Every structure is written in C-alpha cells, then in structure tokens.
Amino acid sequence: MRASLVSPNFLYLVERDRSDADGDAPYAVSDHELACRLSYFLWSSMPDQALSDLADAGKLHDPAVLEAEVRRMLADPKSRALAEDFAGQWLRVGNLAELAEPDRRLFPEYTPELRDAMAEEAITYCHAILREDRPVLELLDSDYTYLNERLAKHYGIEGVTGPDFRRVALKDRNRGGVLGMAAVLTITSYPRRTSPVLRGKWVLEEILGTPPPPPPPSVKALPPDDRVKDGMTFRQRLEQHRKDVNCASCHSRLDPLGFGLENFDVLGRWRDQINDEPVDASGKLTTGEDFTGAAALKAILAESKRELFLRNLVERMLAYALRRGVEYYDIPTVKQVMAELEANEHRGTALIVAVAKSFPFQNRRNERQGAH
C-alpha cells in the first residue's frame, strides 16, 4: 500500500509514450487522455462520469462534442478551480498573505478577513467572466464587481450586507476591472506607501506581457515611505530618479502606468490627497497617450493596448492548460486562438474552447525522443 501511494503513477497525471509513434512526430492523445487533460484544465480534478462515458465512446475528438463538454464543464460549480488556480497565479492573489505585508501600525484595518475578501473578489470576478461567458476585455474595465459587506465598506460602497459575495454595479469607473481591485493594488504596494514602479511593472508584466529588464545593480533604492522630504513630494523624487540615464529607459515605461493608479492607497482605497497634497495621477505613455487617473488609463489599455493584452491572456491560458511554458513553435496556436477570440466577441468561453481544440492541447510527442 505504501509503495502504491508514493508511486508516480498515483501522484501524477501520466501519459504514456506510444511505441508505434513515428520518431518525434506529434500524434493525437487518446480520448481518455484528452478527457483527463480537459478535466484537470477546467476542474483541477479527475473526469466525471459524463466525460468518461464520452471518452469510452471515442467521441471527444469530435469538435462539436468537445465544445459542448467545455460549456457544460464551465457551467459546473467545479469550474471555480480554474478561476482559483489561473487567476491566483496570474494576478498573484493566490498567495496574498505572503506577498502583501502592509504596515499594521499604519493600516490596522488590514485583517485576515479583509485580506481574504480582497482575494475572493478577484477569483469570483474571473470565475464569472468564464462561467457567464462575459467578454474577457472586462478584465481590464467594467461597470461591476463582486463584493461582500466587508469589502464594500472598504471601498466606501453602500447597500451591501452580509458575508456572501454578489455582483454590485459600480458608479465609479475607476474601480472596475482587475486594476481597481484591492488585492492587486495591495500586492503592488510597499508596507508603508504605494509604489508607482511596482504597479507599473505589474501592468507591463501581467496585463501587457512586456516585462521590463531588471534594474541595474548600482541603482539607489527609493525611500520606504511617501513623506515630503527636502521640500519634494515622492512623485517629484521619483521623477528626479528617472533623470538618471541608467534608469530613464525603464522608468519612462513603468512610472506613468503606476502614476495612473495613485488615487488608490496601499490597501486599494480611494484617496484624493497624499500628505495634504492633491494626488497627481497624470501620466504619458512612451507611445504618446496622455491620461489622468485610473479610468482614463484603463480606457487606453482596452483600446490601443488591446492586442497586447489579448495575446498575453491567450499565452497565459495556453500555458496553464498545457502545464508548460509557451514556446516559439506555439506561435501559430496563439494566433489561431486570438482569431477565434476575435470572431466570438472576446467571450470567455471562446477562449477556453479554442485552447481545448488547439493542436498542442490535443497532441503530444514521445518524451523519450527528447521532443518538445
């Protein structure tokens, strides 16, 4: 019994090489292997009876049958696992307790209850986009979110009572989408101050898929708080920092994105002032767009940066489904999934269906051949 419990065949999802495969040529996985891939992709669990029955009947490679199964499985409550795991990794909210450490003396309201509510908003929101077949562009901007009483109070939104999360209409468009979520805004802050640099870096990496290079080793650290020093605000000090030729190229990309989110404090609450001075949330992107505030920034991302966002989302979802990184030979698949997304109004289900129908999801090579 002990040997069985520690066997790789018990602990891992194993797909065996085919002895009749032609060298390292790709071949279609079996129906049962496809059922397992689909189930662990959408549910993080084993296939149910309905999915197993279709695999037994050899029907899962039928595109119409596969699409119907994807839709059925997304409608099942078990699809929350996809939102928990994918959004948890992508938005980094899965380990909020480890990543976010606001100074408890300055922010005593940051309790485990509030922290958990922050993470739940992001997960419930992402699950709704997939399960309700919403446009994935609503990840960037929307007029709603999901709140319970604790988080609604944190945001200053009235009329929400009880611990259960429910959809809430937003009057303030600065808040809608992942960039207005407290979990994201807290993760991208330091313990005692917000960080336009961290927030800008997060947008470049997680939203646009265009990460900046690491900072040079000789760069001076910025102060840990945002107090006025030597007559200069933190923003003024950051702008002075950007004049360093070693820092300018990256900070010209990072800082404006982060400045657009400066109306949100360390815990993601709205603020109009920093140290009794009006918040300056204006910025100008390296591509020329001027904006002031989160709503205007999100509008730019949803329009002129749409293709970058969609490509990044597709690559991340494909990597999640395949349980490996996206490689150069996956580029045709990425383009194909993006085309399917465009043809279907960017709906969440269209993204999942296209990934499930994709060549790398339905095919493999023998590992012993040293293939990809």
Side-chain angles (χ1 to χ4, degrees), residues 214-248:
S218 59
V219 67
K220 288 184 178 180
L222 291 165
D225 55 47
D226 55 11
R227 290 177 295 179
V228 175
K229 185 177 181 181
D230 298 328
M232 299 178 68
T233 65
F234 179 79
R235 174 163 179 151
Q236 289 170 334
R237 280 180 283 166
L238 187 54
E239 289 173 342
Q240 185 180 55
H241 179 80
R242 196 162 68 233
K243 293 178 181 178
D244 187 325
V245 293
N246 294 316
C247 306

Side-chain angles (χ1 to χ4, degrees), residues 32-99:
H32 282 284
E33 288 171 334
L34 183 56
C36 284
R37 286 189 174 196
L38 192 61
S39 184
Y40 281 93
F41 172 28
L42 302 184
W43 289 348
S44 295
S45 184
M46 62 189 295
D48 65 357
Q49 191 62 52
L51 189 58
S52 295
D53 288 346
L54 288 172
D56 288 341
K59 294 181 178 180
L60 269 187
H61 281 89
D62 182 323
V65 172
L66 183 66
E67 180 169 344
E69 276 302 282
V70 169
R71 293 183 180 277
R72 177 185 74 84
M73 295 172 73
L74 284 176
D76 191 290
K78 287 185 286 188
S79 65
R80 177 181 163 87
L82 172 59
E84 286 181 347
D85 294 343
F86 177 73
Q89 295 172 28
W90 171 40
L91 302 178
R92 306 181 194 172
V93 300
N95 52 350
L96 185 60
E98 290 76 29
L99 291 178

Side-chain angles (χ1 to χ4, degrees), residues 40-224:
Y40 281 93
F41 172 28
L42 302 184
W43 289 348
S44 295
S45 184
M46 62 189 295
D48 65 357
Q49 191 62 52
L51 189 58
S52 295
D53 288 346
L54 288 172
D56 288 341
K59 294 181 178 180
L60 269 187
H61 281 89
D62 182 323
V65 172
L66 183 66
E67 180 169 344
E69 276 302 282
V70 169
R71 293 183 180 277
R72 177 185 74 84
M73 295 172 73
L74 284 176
D76 191 290
K78 287 185 286 188
S79 65
R80 177 181 163 87
L82 172 59
E84 286 181 347
D85 294 343
F86 177 73
Q89 295 172 28
W90 171 40
L91 302 178
R92 306 181 194 172
V93 300
N95 52 350
L96 185 60
E98 290 76 29
L99 291 178
E101 298 180 350
D103 189 316
R104 299 303 174 93
R105 294 169 298 177
L106 297 177
F107 305 101
E109 57 271 61
Y110 186 69
T111 62
E113 179 189 11
L114 178 60
R115 181 194 66 211
D116 292 346
M118 289 177 174
E120 183 62 29
E121 176 191 19
I123 292 168
T124 302
Y125 188 91
C126 291
H127 189 207
I129 284 180
L130 296 173
R131 193 176 181 187
E132 298 174 11
D133 202 18
R134 306 289 304 175
V136 297
L137 290 172
E138 290 183 359
L139 290 165
L140 288 179
D141 192 19
S142 72
D143 59 0
Y144 69 93
T145 190
Y146 287 82
L147 304 174
N148 68 354
E149 182 176 359
R150 180 66 188 88
L151 194 56
K153 181 180 179 181
H154 184 69
Y155 287 166
I157 296 175
E158 298 179 348
V160 180
T161 59
D164 295 333
F165 276 74
R166 79 294 310 262
R167 178 167 167 155
V168 176
L170 296 173
K171 297 178 181 178
D172 181 4
R173 291 303 292 265
N174 287 297
R175 182 65 70 179
V178 298
L179 291 180
M181 292 183 180
V184 169
L185 295 162
T186 302
I187 286 171
T188 54
S189 295
Y190 284 119
R192 287 186 280 170
R193 66 165 172 84
T194 57
S195 173
V197 177
L198 287 182
R199 288 178 174 177
K201 182 174 181 285
W202 190 92
V203 173
L204 288 176
E205 289 180 343
E206 311 302 339
I207 298 298
L208 302 180
T210 56
S218 59
V219 67
K220 288 184 178 180
L222 291 165

